[in-house]
Amino acid sequence: MHIVASDNRQEKVFQEIQRPVFSLLEKGPLCKSCSYISYSNLKGLSKQKYLDRMTGAVLDDYAELLQSSIL
């Protein structure tokens, strides 16, 4: 899962997905399965020439994960 937000909201996104309420999910803590994609990264992705032929895995190249040292 990816959360898309403005470029200056990365810290807030990571702060929120670490909240205790999101650590009790059936599939484990949200912060371990969710990433952040900035608007600017998404805009860059939208300009890819063959985007319509790419799989969803291309998002991994644009997503940012919570650093494990923070966990």
Side-chain angles (χ1 to χ4, degrees):
M1 179 173 19
H2 307 284
I3 295 176
V4 179
S6 62
D7 294 18
N8 62 343
R9 302 291 289 179
Q10 177 195 32
E11 186 176 324
K12 181 68 171 169
V13 168
F14 288 143
Q15 188 178 53
E16 291 297 319
I17 65 175
Q18 290 183 85
R19 291 178 59 197
V21 69
F22 297 124
S23 67
L24 304 173
L25 300 174
E26 186 176 313
K27 293 184 178 185
L30 185 61
C31 63
K32 293 192 176 194
S33 62
C34 188
S35 69
Y36 159 81
I37 300 177
S38 67
Y39 289 152
S40 61
N41 279 347
L42 194 62
K43 188 174 182 178
L45 174 62
S46 72
K47 294 178 180 181
Q48 293 296 317
K49 186 174 181 178
Y50 298 107
L51 182 61
D52 61 328
R53 297 183 192 143
M54 295 179 186
T55 67
V58 72
L59 289 174
D60 294 338
D61 293 337
Y62 293 85
E64 299 175 44
L65 301 172
L66 181 65
Q67 299 299 316
S68 59
S69 62
I70 297 173
L71 295 176

